[in-house]
Amino acid sequence: MEKEKIITVKNLTKKFGDFTAVEAISFDVYKGEIFGFLGANGAGKTTAMKMLIGISNPTSGEANVAGFDVQSNSEMVKKNIGYMSQKFSMYDDLTVKENIVFFGGIYGLSRAEIKIKTAALVAELQIEDIINSLVGSLPLGWKQKLSFSVALLHEPKIVFLDEPTGGVDPITRRQFWEMIYTQAYKGTTIFVTTHYMDEAEYCDRVSIMVAGKIEALDTPKKLKEQFKVDSMNDVFLKLARNIE
Amino acid sequence: MSIKVQNISKSYKNLKAVDSVSFEVKKGELFGLIGPDGAGKTTLFRILTTLLIADEGSAAIMGFDVVRDYKSIRSAVGYMPGKFSLYQDLTVEENLTFFATLFGTTIAENYELIKDIYIQIEPFKNRRAGALSGGMKQKLALCCALIHAPKVLFLDEPTTGVDPISRKEFWEMLKRLQQQDITILVSTPYMDEASLCDRIALIQHGVVLKIDSPENIIKNYDKTIYDVATKNTHSLIHDLKNYPSQYSVYAFGEFVHYTDQENNFDRKELEKYLKDKNHTDIKIKQAQIAIEDVFMDL
């Protein structure tokens, strides 16, 4: 296999006092893959993701993201990844352009680079009309598409998306996934969480966390075969039932 | 009529959040407002629960006018806002006692009504609300909205951000409440939940696009949708969009939902086109229409 591993996780564990939020999870993610990271509320997804993006130290185990250890080299991890979530995307009281310049600066791009990137983004998303509008005045779907693009400004190897499409209208949700596909096709690895089970079907592989552990990991097709059901929704229900 | 809404409009500065919305909800009905963020659902809820005054139009809950008779409405309805708004520093039991007291009742008096739901969080009754998981918070909020035995229940996006299991359980609870003759108005951005309501209103940009039972909405949809799948979904979407007679192309779970402009659409021709584009494992079959398909075509 010539598949290049971009994330390797070995026995990654996080405890808060007596409570084990993430219990010895292990998996690999390959370059250019769309990896769906699913689980019920409270299953430990957010805790695991925080360790992978270098903002929370593991209690034990290890993870390597984009070639760097998340514990000993977390700053390099942060430089090589992009991140967006529904809760935090961009600053509402800055304009679209100001947000791009701000995040470009944060990610260490030069003024010249930011200028080029901004022009490319405007052309790609056709946003000439709203480039000077406050982000707060835009519909949610637009915000999400923009913040995905902003998370990609520094051309990260991996982008982490934490429920990027929650509450977004059905058409924009699909446009968002087309952006994800295009980006994965270009070789960017996508690590995504969602509560929409139809979106789980769009992933190359999916892991399902239950009570801190990864209980299943495979392609959507194989998971459905394994659990003898027709949809990812049923896979999810079968696996996570009676938890909490 | 439990809820009667007539030509309600509300603007915030230049934004028309709700634009001349009308609908009626019968006693004991489970009625869904289905639409994405920004559709105007929350504004409508706030108007109906007397927390906001509409610019135009009128609305009545159990015959009480939302402006003139607001006090009667407040004691007769239960409201679960979209944002978790219980006291995070109070325990589960303290929150419930607090809401019971506000409405001049006790937990014991209406225990039967909430028993089903409360029993699931009772083991954690001494835990602070802020330390509960998403699913448990949602159950507590529902108990607090029910503790005064309301006749009409308003639930604003109770399942947003909640995982599929908790969502399923939540809808089962709603069905049981409905059997106790409680009228329920619920909003959700999840189109798959529409089929669980008796009737729904599809809403976007403040405008109601359609009101009917989910079955009728699907039955009356006049286009044929095809499930299409090949080995490479990304290029499939791209190629389908370039097919000359395409009407719409939307990823839909495992398949791509394809609609053609022509009535005499020939799937063999599409198959050949996809083969020529080097697609393999081509599957084309008639699809089950979902509320989401109808919504996207409105």
Side-chain angles (χ1 to χ4, degrees):
Chain A
M1 292 288 258
E2 85 286 26
K3 279 200 270 185
E4 184 189 330
K5 286 177 191 169
I6 191 100
I7 299 177
T8 52
V9 178
K10 282 197 193 109
N11 296 317
L12 195 66
T13 301
K14 180 79 183 188
K15 292 184 182 173
F16 298 106
D18 298 337
F19 177 67
T20 306
V22 175
E23 192 173 347
I25 59 170
S26 301
F27 61 93
D28 296 322
V29 179
Y30 303 105
K31 185 172 184 294
E33 186 172 40
I34 303 176
F35 189 85
F37 196 60
L38 311 186
N41 299 105
K45 287 186 314 261
T46 305
T47 306
M49 205 148 160
K50 278 185 177 166
M51 291 191 276
L52 295 182
I53 62 177
I55 60 170
S56 169
N57 274 330
T59 308
S60 62
E62 53 192 88
N64 187 293
V65 173
F68 302 98
D69 183 83
V70 294
Q71 191 150 16
S72 60
N73 223 338
S74 64
E75 285 312 307
M76 286 308 289
V77 168
K78 288 175 201 162
K79 278 190 182 148
N80 284 282
I81 62 166
Y83 174 81
M84 77 161 275
S85 77
Q86 196 198 351
K87 284 169 202 105
F88 177 77
S89 46
M90 294 190 293
Y91 291 98
D92 274 352
D93 36 20
L94 295 182
T95 66
V96 173
K97 195 173 183 179
E98 285 165 346
N99 266 290
I100 296 173
V101 172
F102 177 78
F103 282 102
I106 292 257
Y107 285 126
L109 301 186
S110 68
R111 277 172 188 276
E113 283 171 315
I114 292 173
K115 225 172 180 171
I116 296 168
K117 287 281 178 186
T118 308
L121 235 162
V122 167
E124 192 191 324
L125 295 175
Q126 301 174 349
I127 50 169
E128 297 85 357
D129 303 347
I130 56 163
I131 189 79
N132 292 315
S133 307
L134 292 182
V135 162
S137 70
L138 302 176
L140 178 71
W142 264 110
K143 271 192 215 176
Q144 297 308 87
K145 283 199 265 185
L146 275 168
S147 70
F148 180 58
S149 305
V150 166
L152 292 165
L153 274 181
H154 58 302
E155 297 175 15
K157 295 187 179 117
I158 310 166
V159 57
F160 288 86
L161 309 173
D162 194 2
E163 286 184 42
T165 55
V168 174
D169 73 83
I171 292 180
T172 313
R173 203 153 70 78
R174 282 163 176 83
Q175 290 168 345
F176 193 90
W177 271 91
E178 283 169 32
M179 288 175 74
I180 291 181
Y181 271 127
T182 305
Q183 207 53 43
Y185 189 71
K186 288 181 188 163
T188 311
T189 305
I190 313 283
F191 189 96
V192 60
T193 73
T194 180
H195 284 318
Y196 290 98
M197 288 302 117
D198 60 331
E199 295 185 348
E201 309 265 5
Y202 309 154
C203 299
D204 293 317
R205 286 190 307 146
V206 164
S207 74
I208 301 179
M209 262 186 107
V210 181
K213 296 180 193 166
I214 289 185
E215 291 292 345
L217 199 179
D218 217 321
T219 62
K221 188 162 179 266
K222 287 202 176 129
L223 286 175
K224 283 181 277 181
E225 282 166 11
Q226 186 189 334
F227 291 91
K228 300 185 177 64
V229 291
D230 295 329
S231 69
M232 280 306 293
N233 194 50
D234 291 341
V235 171
F236 195 94
L237 291 178
K238 263 201 161 167
L239 254 179
R241 183 162 286 164
N242 301 328
I243 304 297
E244 185 172 307
Chain B
M1 283 305 151
S2 269
I3 303 174
K4 197 168 178 159
V5 181
Q6 280 176 306
N7 301 317
I8 286 278
S9 294
K10 178 76 190 176
S11 298
Y12 302 110
K13 288 180 189 161
N14 298 325
L15 177 79
K16 198 138 200 185
V18 174
D19 192 354
S20 195
V21 165
S22 303
F23 63 89
E24 289 180 349
V25 182
K26 296 180 201 110
K27 186 164 182 289
E29 197 172 29
L30 177 51
F31 191 96
L33 277 178
I34 318 287
D37 266 29
K41 304 188 301 287
T42 299
T43 300
L44 210 45
F45 270 94
R46 294 178 64 85
I47 291 169
L48 297 181
T49 52
T50 77
L51 301 171
L52 191 67
I53 294 179
D55 299 335
E56 288 163 60
S58 64
I61 313 295
M62 297 181 309
F64 296 116
D65 183 88
V66 290
V67 180
R68 205 177 51 237
D69 311 318
Y70 73 94
K71 279 190 179 160
S72 311
I73 293 177
R74 286 185 189 180
S75 59
V77 306
Y79 173 44
M80 180 174 159
K83 209 173 143 193
F84 183 70
S85 44
L86 302 180
Y87 293 94
Q88 313 254 6
D89 296 338
L90 296 185
T91 65
V92 167
E93 197 176 28
E94 285 166 346
N95 264 296
L96 196 55
T97 309
F98 175 78
F99 281 93
T101 312
L102 269 189
F103 286 102
T105 181
T106 59
I107 297 180
E109 198 171 334
N110 293 315
Y111 190 74
E112 271 310 303
L113 190 61
I114 60 161
K115 193 177 147 198
D116 253 13
I117 308 155
Y118 190 59
I119 237 164
Q120 303 172 51
I121 49 173
E122 216 166 8
F124 312 99
K125 67 179 182 185
N126 293 320
R127 192 183 283 189
R128 287 183 186 194
L132 296 175
S133 75
M136 286 197 282
K137 275 184 183 168
Q138 178 206 42
K139 282 170 193 157
L140 175 60
L142 184 59
C143 286
C144 290
L146 279 170
I147 195 61
H148 59 297
K151 300 280 187 302
V152 183
L153 194 55
F154 292 92
L155 307 169
D156 191 8
E157 297 206 14
T159 54
T160 293
V162 175
D163 67 72
I165 314 250
S166 306
R167 278 168 55 192
K168 189 166 179 276
E169 288 176 358
F170 195 83
W171 278 92
E172 285 163 5
M173 290 187 282
L174 292 193
K175 291 280 179 192
R176 285 196 293 270
L177 285 175
Q178 199 192 357
Q179 282 159 13
Q180 315 210 30
D181 247 0
I182 298 178
T183 306
I184 303 174
L185 181 68
V186 57
S187 69
T188 177
Y190 295 102
M191 304 277 156
D192 57 345
E193 293 182 344
S195 59
L196 302 166
C197 302
D198 297 327
R199 285 193 308 140
I200 55 174
L202 300 179
I203 179 169
Q204 190 162 29
H205 305 310
V207 180
V208 169
L209 306 165
K210 214 171 202 111
I211 301 175
D212 209 333
S213 68
E215 299 78 32
N216 281 344
I217 287 179
I218 286 170
K219 201 173 71 194
N220 295 334
Y221 188 67
D222 57 356
K223 298 189 183 75
T224 308
I225 299 178
Y226 293 90
D227 278 334
V228 184
T230 66
K231 210 154 187 184
N232 185 337
T233 312
H234 177 48
S235 59
L236 173 64
I237 292 172
H238 180 80
D239 290 335
L240 283 176
K241 283 191 170 173
N242 288 324
Y243 193 60
S245 59
Q246 70 96 1
Y247 172 77
S248 68
V249 177
Y250 292 118
F252 220 97
E254 183 183 0
F255 294 96
V256 173
H257 274 190
Y258 174 80
T259 315
D260 201 89
Q261 294 165 11
E262 312 292 337
N263 285 328
N264 56 354
F265 165 70
D266 182 358
R267 66 177 91 176
K268 288 263 155 34
E269 266 175 45
L270 179 63
E271 196 175 337
K272 184 178 176 299
Y273 166 84
L274 291 173
K275 260 186 198 147
D276 291 345
K277 296 272 182 192
N278 298 318
H279 282 282
T280 54
D281 298 349
I282 301 170
K283 277 180 223 141
I284 304 175
K285 63 179 173 63
Q286 197 169 327
Q288 286 267 1
I289 291 163
I291 291 289
E292 195 158 12
D293 289 305
V294 181
F295 191 92
M296 288 192 287
D297 196 25
L298 285 171

